[in-house]
Amino acid sequence: MDRNTIIGFVLLGLLLFVYLYINTKSSHELEAQRKHIADSVAVVTKAREAAAERVREAAVKPDSSTVAPAVVDTTGFNPAFKGTEQLVTVENDLVKVVFSNKGGQPVDVELKKFKSYDSTPVKLVGPNSRISYPINTGSGVADIAELYFKPGQVVKNADGSQTVRFRLPTPAGEAIEHEYTLPANDYMLDWNVNVINPEKLFSQNNFNIGWHIEAQRAQNNISEERRLTSIGFYEDNRFDYMSSKNERTFEKPVEWVSVSQQFFNTTLVAKSGFSAGSVKWQRETADSSNIVARGEIALQAKVPATANANLQLRLYYGPNDFSILDKEEPGMTHIIDLGRGIYSFVRPVNVYVLMPVFNFFKRYISSFGIAILLLTLFIRLFTSPLVYSSYLSGAKMKALRPEIEAMKKRVGGDQQQMGMEQMKLFREAGVNPLGGCIPALLQIPIFFALYSFFSSNIGLRGEHFLWSHDLSSFDSILHFGFSIPGYGDHVSLFALCAVATSFLISLYGMSMTPDQSNPAMKYMPYIMPVFLLVFFNRLASALTWYYTVSNVITLALQFVIQHYIIDHTKILAKLQENRTKPKTKSKWQERLEQMQEAQKDAQKRPQPPRK
């Protein structure tokens, strides 16, 4: 223990102390923030229950013959606790929004240009969805969703937009007004909460907004819609999402929170951001329910400590259209699942390659099915060098098949010796046994990109092509009336076509394989179609149509390349020429051969007798 050692230990101790201090302090701050949010949610719940109790008490009307008429107090907040619900409608060419004076908020939203699974307009606000926040009424805390505002009047503005205002009855010197403005040609609804004397109305100047939402069914395939429904949010200038049942506490500022279904979303935006919040999210699982998912969202924003405050919020009710969302708030294009999580690497392929090319074809062609065919041709042209390399490698392996068959007879059943001899043959002939596999593996990211692209492209929704009535969902030529586990309740003809063409490609691949002694490889062409059929039967018909076209192109390329481009005589001559060239072994090859030789020698040694 010299002086340097002691100094080192002291420094390590100081660093450990500082780390523990900072970590403990952060934990306490985070716990305090979570407690504050939980208390705010509890206040909202308590206020909601109290308001509901008042409504129940008001429903019990006394007998007017025995009880003297009560004097109605119309001062302060009293008129807000009892009232008659009145509806006001604001609409443009894209969306129809119905407001209620109870809570002063939207209670029904229809998208005019989109039909639901039952041919009615798509609705994005369910009957149990609501927005709430607590206010101080002097006698307690009330939930704004249970209070009655003064009925609003629609005002048409000079720019074509429409504005409706709901004003809450309040004591003198206080005011709450909900002001909504719907632009002439937009899905985004501006919502301003105008407050006079916010210090009296909001505890500690905290605007604690609660958003309960039930996403309603819009697609024929509700199982796929549920799978693709998620909650997305823009936290600290970064997009993130929740797709399954879980909870999330926001520890950094949040600009917007979105409930995103397969093709539509409802998004709440705060122009100044939310300082904290939490989310509880769960998908619906009951087959008989038309609810896709449920969410409880609690968000907090600071109200300016001024005499008059203005909270600027926005509500987006609309489609998951990339071109539309790109013009709205930052990061909202990430609501569209073009590659997330472990598949996020395919998003640039979708955004910068597939989407522009597909939109280019769609600009001049009305049929989405033909546009997909042209997109397939473009992709195959782009990957043609890889395909040629794969076929060339397969032709080389086929040329070596007679020698490999003779080798098998020579070495017998010694698999280790067979492997060594094959490696030696491939090295002498200059053949890479993986040359046909690597190009195929490089095309896998394209398949994943197309899978997410076709599953989330709202342009395919409701588009007919051949026997498919909706390219965004599976096609069906037969419904069983019952569900087969793993397969489904229908038969997809595009899936059958894709599987049949894949089977023909597999048979061709077997004919190019030099060694067919492996039983697994021998039966693979017959096993794989079964797995593909189960997988493809549920996919969007746009994707199975693409896969069918791609397989047909592959079969045509195989025939043309093998019969008109690749000269098998020249390939065999080239292989013979390669054998005469001096060969250099890589270090990896040398080590592998040494290991194989050592294993072979160990097998030849006589084993000691067992005791």
Side-chain angles (χ1 to χ4, degrees):
M1 297 291 290
D2 57 6
R3 184 179 62 179
N4 293 335
T5 304
I6 294 173
I7 293 174
F9 275 112
V10 171
L11 291 175
L12 286 174
L14 288 174
L15 289 173
L16 180 61
F17 174 77
V18 171
Y19 169 77
L20 292 175
Y21 174 77
I22 295 174
N23 189 54
T24 304
K25 183 179 178 181
S26 301
S27 299
H28 288 325
E29 291 175 352
L30 180 59
E31 185 62 30
Q33 189 182 47
R34 288 176 178 170
K35 186 177 183 301
H36 183 67
I37 295 171
D39 292 342
S40 301
V41 174
V43 169
V44 174
T45 304
K46 185 177 180 180
R48 186 181 300 151
E49 293 174 352
E53 183 63 27
R54 292 192 192 96
V55 173
R56 285 193 294 270
E57 291 174 357
V60 182
K61 297 182 179 180
D63 188 356
S64 59
S65 63
T66 58
V67 181
V71 178
V72 179
D73 186 359
T74 59
T75 62
F77 287 100
N78 290 308
F81 290 109
K82 298 179 182 179
T84 303
E85 185 174 20
Q86 299 183 38
L87 303 178
V88 179
T89 300
V90 178
E91 58 185 310
N92 57 22
D93 293 337
L94 303 176
V95 62
K96 175 183 177 182
V97 185
V98 179
F99 296 92
S100 171
N101 67 319
K102 185 178 181 181
Q105 61 184 282
V107 293
D108 187 76
V109 177
E110 292 183 0
L111 302 184
K112 293 184 175 182
K113 295 186 178 295
F114 299 96
K115 298 296 183 182
S116 187
Y117 69 99
D118 56 358
S119 299
T120 61
V122 170
K123 292 182 178 291
L124 293 185
V125 176
N128 295 321
S129 300
R130 65 178 177 271
I131 297 174
S132 60
Y133 59 86
I135 62 169
N136 299 323
T137 62
S139 60
V141 179
D143 182 358
I144 201 71
E146 302 297 335
L147 301 181
Y148 290 88
F149 287 68
K150 295 177 182 179
Q153 298 294 325
V154 179
V155 177
K156 294 186 177 181
N157 304 314
D159 60 356
S161 63
Q162 301 174 68
T163 300
V164 60
R165 296 178 178 87
F166 298 90
R167 192 176 182 89
L168 187 72
T170 57
E174 301 175 23
I176 294 181
E177 181 184 68
H178 288 182
E179 177 187 286
Y180 298 94
T181 299
L182 182 65
N185 191 34
D186 203 341
Y187 292 99
M188 187 71 82
L189 177 69
D190 290 323
W191 175 26
N192 291 331
V193 181
N194 303 316
V195 185
I196 296 177
N197 203 349
E199 290 186 349
K200 272 194 171 184
L201 293 168
F202 300 108
S203 300
Q204 301 178 354
N205 277 42
N206 287 326
F207 182 71
N208 297 311
I209 187 168
W211 185 17
H212 174 81
I213 188 165
E214 289 183 350
Q216 302 293 306
R217 178 183 181 183
Q219 305 303 120
N220 286 319
N221 188 355
I222 190 172
S223 299
E224 184 73 359
E225 186 177 11
R226 286 171 176 169
R227 187 185 69 82
L228 295 173
T229 297
S230 63
I231 280 190
F233 43 88
Y234 205 60
E235 183 182 15
D236 195 29
N237 296 320
R238 292 183 61 186
F239 173 80
D240 203 351
Y241 73 102
M242 298 161 49
S243 59
S244 57
K245 176 185 176 181
N246 55 37
E247 301 179 9
R248 172 73 177 255
T249 299
F250 300 129
E251 302 172 1
K252 297 178 181 179
V254 177
E255 186 172 339
W256 53 260
V257 178
S258 176
V259 177
S260 173
Q261 296 171 236
Q262 184 176 5
F263 294 115
F264 307 97
N265 78 84
T266 304
T267 302
L268 175 61
V269 183
K271 288 189 176 181
S272 298
F274 299 104
S275 57
S278 62
V279 175
K280 292 182 180 180
W281 177 248
Q282 183 177 4
R283 290 196 186 105
E284 178 61 59
T285 56
D287 294 336
S288 59
S289 174
N290 282 331
I291 295 174
V292 177
R294 294 179 175 87
E296 290 285 350
I297 304 168
L299 300 166
Q300 185 181 92
K302 278 293 181 182
V303 182
T306 57
N308 299 329
N310 173 249
L311 296 169
Q312 295 182 327
L313 305 170
R314 306 181 80 192
L315 288 163
Y316 177 87
Y317 301 106
N320 294 344
D321 189 304
F322 193 94
S323 60
I324 295 174
L325 296 178
D326 195 34
K327 299 174 184 176
E328 302 295 349
E329 298 298 322
M332 282 189 67
T333 54
H334 288 269
I335 291 173
I336 306 173
D337 184 4
L338 294 173
R340 290 178 180 173
I342 61 173
Y343 302 109
S344 58
F345 65 94
V346 304
R347 183 176 180 84
V349 178
N350 276 321
V351 174
Y352 301 111
V353 180
L354 297 183
M355 190 180 298
V357 173
F358 185 76
N359 290 339
F360 172 79
F361 290 139
K362 194 62 192 69
R363 194 179 306 160
Y364 303 101
I365 299 171
S366 60
S367 171
F368 275 85
I370 301 301
I372 293 172
L373 186 147
L374 294 176
L375 177 66
T376 309
L377 291 173
F378 169 81
I379 293 172
R380 296 313 305 266
L381 180 64
F382 181 76
T383 59
S384 57
L386 298 177
V387 174
Y388 177 77
S389 175
S390 175
Y391 292 159
L392 183 61
S393 178
K396 291 179 180 179
M397 297 290 286
K398 186 176 181 179
L400 294 176
R401 177 181 294 178
E403 296 186 50
I404 293 176
E405 292 295 332
M407 185 187 303
K408 286 170 58 178
K409 294 179 181 179
R410 186 174 69 253
V411 301
D414 191 342
Q415 295 296 326
Q416 186 174 359
Q417 181 65 24
M418 181 66 183
M420 292 177 62
E421 293 287 342
Q422 274 189 330
M423 286 185 60
K424 183 179 179 181
L425 175 63
F426 293 152
R427 187 175 63 254
E428 289 179 350
V431 174
N432 181 5
L434 299 179
C437 302
I438 295 175
L441 292 176
L442 292 176
Q443 296 184 59
I444 291 178
I446 297 176
F447 176 80
F448 284 124
L450 288 166
Y451 176 78
S452 57
F453 176 70
F454 288 133
S455 298
S456 60
N457 191 325
I458 193 170
L460 300 173
R461 188 176 184 270
E463 290 294 329
H464 293 242
F465 181 69
L466 297 180
W467 54 83
S468 175
H469 301 294
D470 185 355
L471 284 171
S472 69
S473 183
F474 56 79
D475 63 293
S476 177
I477 58 170
L478 176 65
H479 278 275
F480 301 137
F482 57 90
S483 181
I484 300 175
Y487 182 72
D489 60 354
H490 64 279
V491 176
S492 169
L493 183 55
F494 274 136
L496 291 176
C497 293
V499 170
T501 50
S502 296
F503 176 68
L504 295 177
I505 293 173
S506 298
L507 289 180
Y508 172 81
M510 285 295 295
S511 68
M512 301 297 293
T513 304
D515 184 8
Q516 300 183 10
S517 60
N518 190 335
M521 293 299 296
K522 184 180 297 185
Y523 296 106
M524 189 61 68
Y526 308 99
I527 298 174
M528 280 302 296
V530 177
F531 291 102
L532 291 177
L533 185 61
V534 172
F535 178 66
F536 284 172
N537 196 58
R538 303 179 182 182
L539 295 182
S541 52
L543 184 59
T544 48
W545 164 238
Y546 160 82
Y547 212 77
T548 301
V549 175
S550 180
N551 286 345
V552 171
I553 294 173
T554 298
L555 291 170
L557 286 175
Q558 287 176 346
F559 180 81
V560 172
I561 291 176
Q562 293 295 335
H563 291 82
Y564 298 100
I565 297 178
I566 294 179
D567 190 330
H568 294 273
T569 304
K570 290 184 178 180
I571 288 177
L572 188 59
K574 183 67 176 178
L575 294 178
Q576 296 297 334
E577 180 184 347
N578 290 338
R579 290 184 174 185
T580 61
K581 297 179 181 178
K583 302 295 184 300
T584 58
K585 298 180 183 180
S586 65
K587 292 184 178 180
W588 179 83
Q589 289 176 328
E590 291 177 353
R591 290 198 195 99
L592 184 61
E593 289 185 1
Q594 290 173 2
M595 291 173 59
Q596 289 176 334
E597 289 291 346
Q599 290 177 356
K600 187 176 179 180
D601 292 342
Q603 290 176 352
K604 291 180 178 180
R605 293 196 200 102
Q607 298 294 327
R610 296 182 179 180
K611 295 182 180 180

